[in-house]
C-alpha cells in the first residue's frame, strides 16, 4: 500500500481531473498536509497535454488500482464505476466534486465538498482564497485551464457565476489572454486524427449504472462535426463491440462542436428508442443533431437518465 494519500480524478481523465488533482496537492502542502500526492487513472488527453507542456510540468503518476485501506482523495467524481479499481475497500478521506452523487457509499466518516459549479477547480479556487494563501501563476493557469475545459470558455450551460468570477480573477493572476490561451487549449484537444475508433469512443466516456440499465455517454470535442462523421461507419463498429463486451443497453457518442456549441449524437443499443423519447426526435442513420447541446452533465445525462 502507498503510504501517501492518493489524489485522483475520474477514469478517462479530463483537464479538470488532472489539473484539480495537481492544485489539490499544492493547496494541501500550503496547508501543511504534506503526504498527499496527485495521481491519475488514465492517459493524458491532448487538451490536458497542452496545459502540462505550457507549464512544463510532468503528468501525475498513473495508478491502475488501489489496495484495501489505501487512503484516497476523490476529485471531480464520486461514482465508484468512474473511479479506480478497488475503490470499494479504500479509505476515502475527502471528495471534492461538482457532479451528482450516485453509486457512492463509505464505511467511515469523511470530508465531502460538493458544489453545483461548472468545475472542480472553481471550488478549489474558493478554498484557496478562503485559506488566505497566495495563488501563484502556475496554480492560476492550472485552475483556469480546468474552468475553460469544463465550461467551454464559459459557454456551457453548466457555467455558474462562481466560475465566471473565478476565471476573471485567475486571468489577472496568470497575466495571459485567457480567450486566446483557452481557444488554443481547446483546439489542441480536437485533433482526433491519430486516434483509432476504439480510442475515440473511450477518450471521454462515462459509464452510468441504473438498476435496470447500463449505459455509456461518450463525448469528443471538435471544430468540425462533419470531419468526425466521415468515420461514422468504423465508429459504429467500435461502439457495437463495446456494447457486446460490456453488456450495455445503449451507447451515446456525442460529437460536440466547440465553436458553434452544438452536438451530433450517434446512438446504438437495444434501448435506442429511449434516446429518441428523451429528445423528442427520431434518429436518422443512428444520428441526431442537438442544437445548443454541449454539456453531458446538464443536457444529456439527466434527460437520458429520466427516459431510460
Ligand atoms: Mg471531469
Ligand atoms: Mg469537472
Ligand atoms: Mg467534461
Amino acid at each position: 500500500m502507498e503510504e501517501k494519500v492518493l489524489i485522483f480524478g475520474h477514469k478517462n481523465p479530463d483537464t479538470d481531473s488532472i489539473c484539480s488533482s495537481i492544485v489539490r496537492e499544492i493547496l494541501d502542502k500550503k496547508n501543511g498536509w504534506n503526504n498527499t500526492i496527485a495521481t491519475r487513472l488514465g492517459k493524458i488527453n491532448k487538451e490536458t497535454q497542452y496545459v502540462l507542456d505550457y507549464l512544463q510540468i510532468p503528468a501525475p503518476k498513473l495508478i491502475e488500482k488501489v489496495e484495501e485501506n489505501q487512503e484516497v482523495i476523490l476529485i471531480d467524481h464520486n461514482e465508484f464505476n468512474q473511479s479506480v479499481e478497488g475503490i470499494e475497500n479504500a479509505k476515502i478521506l475527502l471528495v471534492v466534486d461538482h457532479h451528482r452523487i450516485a453509486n457512492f457509499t463509505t464505511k467511515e466518516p469523511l470530508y465531502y465538498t460538493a458544489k453545483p459549479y461548472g468545475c472542480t477547480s472553481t471550488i478549489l479556487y474558493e478554498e484557496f482564497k478562503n485559506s488566505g494563501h497566495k495563488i501563484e501563476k502556475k496554480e492560476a493557469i492550472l485552475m483556469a485551464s480546468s474552468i475553460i475545459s469544463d465550461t467551454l470558455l464559459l459557454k456551457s450551460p453548466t457555467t455558474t457565476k462562481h466560475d465566471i468570477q473565478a476565471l476573471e480573477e485567475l486571468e489577472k493572476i496568470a497575466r495571459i489572454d485567457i480567450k486566446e490561451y483557452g481557444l488554443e487549449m481547446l483546439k489542441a484537444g480536437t485533433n482526433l486524427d491519430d486516434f483509432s475508433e476504439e480510442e475515440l469512443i473511450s477518450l471521454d466516456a462515462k459509464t452510468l449504472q441504473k438498476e435496470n440499465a447500463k449505459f455509456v455517454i461518450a463525448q469528443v470535442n471538435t471544430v468540425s462535426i462533419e470531419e468526425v462523421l466521415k468515420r461514422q461507419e468504423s465508429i459504429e463498429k467500435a461502439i457495437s463491440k463495446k456494447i457486446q463486451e460490456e453488456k450495455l443497453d445503449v451507447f451515446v457518442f456525442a460529437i460536440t462542436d466547440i465553436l458553434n456549441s452544438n452536438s451530433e449524437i450517434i446512438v446504438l443499443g437495444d434501448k435506442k428508442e429511449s434516446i429518441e423519447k428523451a429528445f423528442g426526435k427520431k434518429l436518422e442513420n443512428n444520428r441526431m443533431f442537438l442544437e445548443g447541446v454541449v454539456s453531458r452533465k446538464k443536457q444529456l445525462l439527466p434527460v437520458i437518465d429520466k427516459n431510460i
Side-chain angles (χ1 to χ4, degrees):
M1 194 171 75
E2 290 262 355
E3 270 169 49
K4 297 217 171 202
V5 177
L6 305 177
I7 308 171
F8 48 79
H10 50 78
K11 279 184 191 156
N12 307 321
D14 55 10
T15 299
D16 188 25
S17 269
I18 299 293
C19 295
S20 288
S21 295
I22 299 172
V23 170
R24 180 72 230 183
E25 183 191 328
I26 295 171
L27 183 59
D28 288 340
K29 296 251 165 10
K30 293 197 187 217
N31 284 328
W33 190 9
N34 286 315
N35 69 332
T36 68
I37 183 171
T39 62
R40 65 185 159 97
L41 302 186
K43 223 173 136 187
I44 298 284
N45 69 31
K46 288 185 183 174
E47 183 195 280
T48 312
Q49 193 59 53
Y50 179 89
V51 182
L52 299 179
D53 289 346
Y54 187 91
L55 292 170
Q56 295 184 292
I57 53 175
K61 188 178 143 195
L62 180 69
I63 297 292
E64 306 275 359
K65 58 177 173 188
V66 294
E67 292 183 23
E68 210 173 326
N69 294 323
Q70 171 67 52
E71 295 183 319
V72 300
I73 294 174
L74 305 191
I75 295 289
D76 195 37
H77 76 296
N78 66 81
E79 301 192 40
F80 283 179
N81 46 316
Q82 295 165 15
S83 198
V84 74
E85 196 188 322
I87 189 66
E88 294 80 3
N89 299 311
K91 194 170 168 190
I92 303 170
L93 302 185
L94 163 72
V95 179
V96 186
D97 189 24
H98 66 126
H99 294 90
R100 70 172 193 178
I101 302 172
N103 305 307
F104 179 84
T105 47
T106 59
K107 295 186 194 87
E108 291 181 57
L110 75 160
Y111 288 97
Y112 198 120
T113 309
K115 298 211 167 143
Y117 295 175
C119 179
T120 307
S121 270
T122 305
I123 305 174
L124 292 178
Y125 165 76
E126 291 185 357
E127 276 190 35
F128 231 116
K129 253 178 71 170
N130 293 337
S131 74
H133 299 300
K134 187 172 172 246
I135 300 173
E136 309 286 343
K137 185 179 169 103
K138 179 175 95 175
E139 289 116 60
I141 292 176
L142 285 166
M143 288 190 270
S145 300
S146 289
I147 298 171
I148 292 162
S149 172
D150 269 12
T151 67
L152 294 176
L153 264 169
L154 306 179
K155 280 198 292 185
S156 165
T158 53
T159 310
T160 66
K161 63 175 195 296
H162 300 270
D163 306 298
I164 297 169
Q165 202 192 343
L167 191 57
E168 229 174 68
E169 292 177 26
L170 290 168
E171 179 170 27
K172 282 182 209 144
I173 301 167
R175 297 188 308 276
I176 53 172
D177 183 332
I178 279 296
K179 251 209 160 135
E180 196 184 314
Y181 167 83
L183 211 53
E184 283 310 307
M185 185 200 90
L186 289 172
K187 276 191 189 157
T190 65
N191 179 6
L192 306 171
D193 294 348
D194 45 333
F195 289 115
S196 70
E197 283 72 22
E198 285 76 14
E199 287 170 320
L200 219 52
I201 63 161
S202 60
L203 276 177
D204 180 10
K206 284 195 178 161
T207 306
L208 290 309
Q209 181 92 56
K210 289 184 79 170
E211 248 170 66
N212 57 342
K214 187 180 176 192
F215 58 105
V216 168
I217 308 176
Q219 187 170 31
V220 289
N221 288 344
T222 183
V223 287
S224 163
I225 289 176
E226 239 157 62
E227 199 58 41
V228 182
L229 285 178
K230 283 183 187 158
R231 300 167 72 179
Q232 184 177 352
E233 215 183 296
S234 5
I235 289 172
E236 286 191 10
K237 259 190 208 146
I239 293 175
S240 299
K241 203 172 142 223
K242 199 77 175 173
I243 288 174
Q244 275 203 334
E245 281 170 4
E246 309 213 345
K247 300 193 172 51
L248 301 171
D249 296 292
V250 77
F251 193 113
V252 178
F253 181 64
I255 306 160
T256 299
D257 178 342
I258 56 163
L259 298 182
N260 301 302
S261 303
N262 300 309
S263 291
E264 179 95 22
I265 55 171
I266 297 177
V267 185
L268 291 177
D270 288 344
K271 293 206 172 176
K272 223 159 76 166
E273 302 78 47
S274 51
I275 306 299
E276 295 185 325
K277 208 173 86 199
F279 296 102
K281 245 176 138 171
K282 284 270 166 229
L283 286 161
E284 278 170 50
N285 184 20
N286 297 328
R287 268 163 41 197
M288 188 187 288
F289 183 69
L290 297 175
E291 203 178 330
V293 169
V294 295
S295 166
R296 170 172 43 206
K297 187 167 90 165
K298 257 209 158 132
Q299 296 169 298
L300 292 171
L301 172 59
V303 192
I304 293 168
D305 196 50
K306 218 192 306 174
N307 287 281
I308 211 157

